[in-house]
Amino acid sequence: EDTTYRVTARVLPNLRVVVLAFQDVSHLEQAGQMRRDFVANVSHELRTPLTALMGFIETLRGPAREDAAARDRFLDIMQGEAGRMNRLVGDLLSLSRVEGDQRVRPRKSVNLSDVVSSVARTLAPLAKDTSVVLDCDLPDHPVGLIGDADQLMQVVTNLVENAIKYGASGGRVIIKLTEVARDLSLRAPGVYISVTDFGPGIDPVHLPRLTERFYRADSHRSRALGGTGLGLAIVKHIINRHRGRLRIESELGQGATFTVVLPLDLNTV
Ligand code: ADP
């Protein structure tokens, strides 16, 4: 790997010596490159719907002026493209907000059972539209945690939305909440929220990069379904802030399970 050094030279006047200091600044270079890539990606993602919008405006002013049916069709498409831009800007704002929060520990007590059932309620219409059966598997006692309720709600929402979007139409999506106490040694202690679908799954080669901004396993499908490519990046940042982990298990043709593991330690912060 290349290493970039910042070299500082100091001349010591009396001794007639030059002192050279080498400082490894590769990480700064890398951060700069990542920032440039991000800006390039955002510009590209915004320009695509914008170009479509401009094209349709042109057509509406010209050839489609007198054609009512074409006008309606084009307006529908334009609304879709504007919606895509709106989602992208919304996700960019969420991402920048959660990135800014990284150093501040969440401190409110959250009822995770309520979070999960409220997400299931909110997404029931979307599930119905795609004929997906949404199952909620909650323990019989409420599961609590110290955290940020809105952000945890966003995590579960993004995972369940993906499961509904990418899962098999007519299939099932299961949201399961479990609490593993410290004295049960089979699994690491913590709160587990898993979201399982039975769709086409993800080729394991993509799994390590799936939470990167704008990384898509199936770019065509993501765009066709209106995805911004930022959902899992937002999820990762929120989980990091809660000192948790995200586990993704999937194989092609086998559906996918995304599991959020939140440490019990947060309960005693
Ligand atoms: P997007 O807006 O594209 O859905 P995400 O960050 O939410 O962006 O997800 C990144 C990529 O991970 C998606 O483009 C898709 O290829 C893949 N993915 C996420 N969840 C699933 C799932 N449940 N089944 C199959 N692929 C998925």
Side-chain angles (χ1 to χ4, degrees), residues 162-163 165-166 197 201-202 210 215-218 222 227-233 256 258:
N162 278 352
K165 255 176 16 186
Y166 297 107
D197 71 74
I202 306 156
L210 217 57
Y215 189 88
R216 293 159 162 118
D218 182 341
S222 159
T228 61
L230 293 175
L232 290 179
F258 288 74

Side-chain angles (χ1 to χ4, degrees), residues 111-114 136-144 176-179:
N111 182 335
L112 272 182
S113 311
D114 281 353
C136 239
D137 185 351
L138 301 176
D140 41 25
H141 61 281
V143 175
K176 190 173 159 72
L177 174 65
T178 12
E179 187 175 15

Side-chain angles (χ1 to χ4, degrees), residues 121-150:
R121 253 196 322 275
T122 311
L123 293 181
L126 178 69
K128 196 156 169 261
D129 282 351
T130 40
S131 319
V132 165
V133 177
L134 199 55
D135 278 341
C136 239
D137 185 351
L138 301 176
D140 41 25
H141 61 281
V143 175
L145 185 95
I146 299 293
D148 181 318
D150 289 340

Side-chain angles (χ1 to χ4, degrees), residues 209-232:
R209 299 194 57 193
L210 217 57
T211 57
E212 286 176 22
R213 301 147 165 182
F214 297 118
Y215 189 88
R216 293 159 162 118
D218 182 341
S219 191
H220 183 75
R221 199 167 149 78
S222 159
R223 284 172 210 280
L225 293 168
T228 61
L230 293 175
L232 290 179

Side-chain angles (χ1 to χ4, degrees), residues 103-194:
R103 284 166 196 282
V104 193
R105 270 205 171 199
R107 292 204 160 270
K108 292 232 166 77
S109 100
V110 180
N111 182 335
L112 272 182
S113 311
D114 281 353
V115 166
V116 170
S117 29
S118 140
V119 171
R121 253 196 322 275
T122 311
L123 293 181
L126 178 69
K128 196 156 169 261
D129 282 351
T130 40
S131 319
V132 165
V133 177
L134 199 55
D135 278 341
C136 239
D137 185 351
L138 301 176
D140 41 25
H141 61 281
V143 175
L145 185 95
I146 299 293
D148 181 318
D150 289 340
Q151 290 192 345
L152 291 171
M153 185 104 73
Q154 174 139 43
V155 165
V156 183
T157 302
N158 289 5
L159 294 180
V160 177
E161 256 175 11
N162 278 352
I164 296 175
K165 255 176 16 186
Y166 297 107
S169 136
R172 248 173 17 126
V173 167
I174 306 169
I175 320 170
K176 190 173 159 72
L177 174 65
T178 12
E179 187 175 15
V180 177
R182 213 175 292 281
D183 50 339
L184 294 175
S185 54
L186 277 165
R187 288 163 93 190
V191 177
Y192 290 66
I193 310 167
S194 69

